[in-house]
Every structure is written in C-alpha cells, then in structure tokens.
Amino acid sequence: MLALADCNNFYASCERVFQPQLEGKPILVLSNNDGCVIARSNEAKALGIKMGVPVFQVKTLIEQHNIQLFSSNFTLYGDLSKRVMSTIQQEVKAMEVYSIDEAFMDFSGEGTPLEKGIALKQKVKQYTGIPISIGIAPTKTLCKVAGLIAKKHTSSGVFVLQSPDLIQRDLKWLPVEELWGVGRRHARMLKSVGIQSAYDLCCADDSWIKRRLSVVGLRMVKELRGTPCFPLEKNASRKKNICTSRSFSKAITSLEELKEAVSNYTSNCAYKLRKQKSCATRIS
C-alpha cells in the first residue's frame, strides 16, 4: 500500500503556526508583489475567493470579513516543508517528496493503514503545527483520489481506498477534470466525447486513451484500475531548469537597484545548482 500526505492549505497553515489566534479565520497569501491571491484558507474559500484573483477585485470582501492578508514568505514555507518531510520520514520505510506540500509514502507492512495514517497525521501536527490529510491506496493515482476524499469528506483527514467496490463508487463520483494529470484542455476534450467521470475514463479503450492522452495518460488510467505504473521515486531527480523569479512591488528606476536584485537572485539560482551537483549550459 502507498499513501499520500498533503499539507492542508499549506501557505496559510504556515502563517497560522506563528499566529495561532488566526485559527478559524479567513486568510489570504499574496504573490510577491501582493497583486494576486496564491493561497487561501478554507474560510476564505468558503467566501468564494478564487485562486489567482487580483486582490483589488476582492477588496470589498476582504474589508467585510476582516480577511487577514500575508505577503508570501517562501523561505518560511520551505523551512516548514523540510520539517514536515523530516517528521514523516522517521515514520515510514520509504518516501518520495513530490512537492513542497506533498509526499508519497510506502505504507506496506505497516499494520492497519487507517490507524497508521491517523497516528502520522497527529504526529506531524504536534511536531510542526501543520495539518495534513492522508490518502491511502494501492497506486499513486488512487492515492491522489483518496487524498481528495480525505481532505473534503472525512472528519479524520485520513481515507483508505482499497476495495474494488469502494474504488468503483468513488471513481463514478469524481469529475474527470479533478484527476491527477488531466489538465483543462484534456478535460474539455474528454467531456466533448461523453467522458464525465474518472470511472467513464477507466471504461474507455486502451488504444483510444493512448492516442488521446499519450502513454502517460494510459498509465494513469491503469493506476485507476489498480495496476501500479508509477513507482516510488526515493531519490529526487535533478531539475533540468532552475528559476528564481520575483516581481518588484514598485517601479524600479535605478540601475543599481536592478543590478542588486539580479545579483541576489542569480546567487540563489547558483546555490540551487550547486546543491544538486549540476552544471549550467545556459543562463538567461
């Protein structure tokens, strides 16, 4: 069995670690120049605020509901992510850090998966202050489905998706656009031919899936059917592109200010390059 740990509203949760009085209150985290919303607490989502919306468009809601605003602090988020991953690593045989707020884990031979998941969730919360949800299933793609259910439809925040009947029931409920790896363009194409749910996609012909969604899409569908196709990657692959990108909060008119910023961000990129023991063939 595999499992997926997913930090709940990660950036907002990081801010709450240091301001616990904001628990239960709406929070928005803004982009580097404080222009757009890049993270929302559940309370802010319930007010109808969409991801990526410009702040000025929701100014009235912010004032009406006293929504707390935070400028993004990626150094803080990276540090708390490392603490979460380190805490998880102590409790599992193997893990793959998938993103800043997600990790796949090997749950095989770990006793009762549900009890293991609940205990791990409690430990991460106690050690780091970050709430997580855990989806447990036989494949990575089904773990993603289980994680969605754990986050939105359980009180424990942990869900095991294992029996064929349960898998079939939940795939019939899951809209195809919410599947891992299905983007907007593919979702529109699938819906145009009558494929509305994840279960509908599982019932499609393999050759048709490969032709429309590529071999990667076919592997994803096979994982939905219970056949593992994406192994746990215990060693993170090296990045092929490294980017440090920031926006200025005001107009820059001094060449010296620009040089200072570019030098600083170039240094950050070089640090990341050295850390993964790589060389660069091009800098832009």
Side-chain angles (χ1 to χ4, degrees), residues 168-206:
Q168 186 179 104
R169 185 201 72 182
D170 290 333
L171 293 185
K172 286 180 178 179
W173 156 84
L174 185 70
V176 72
E177 64 267 22
E178 292 197 31
L179 277 174
W180 185 33
V182 175
R184 290 180 184 175
R185 183 172 60 85
H186 280 139
R188 283 197 300 269
M189 179 274 295
L190 292 168
K191 288 192 168 187
S192 72
V193 296
I195 295 175
Q196 301 291 331
S197 69
Y199 180 76
D200 294 337
L201 184 57
C202 288
C203 294
D205 178 71
D206 283 4

Side-chain angles (χ1 to χ4, degrees), residues 241-242 262 265-267 269-270 273 279-284:
N241 294 284
I242 294 174
V262 171
Y265 298 141
T266 303
S267 175
C269 272
L273 190 75
C279 295
T281 56
R282 186 164 66 92
I283 299 174
S284 60

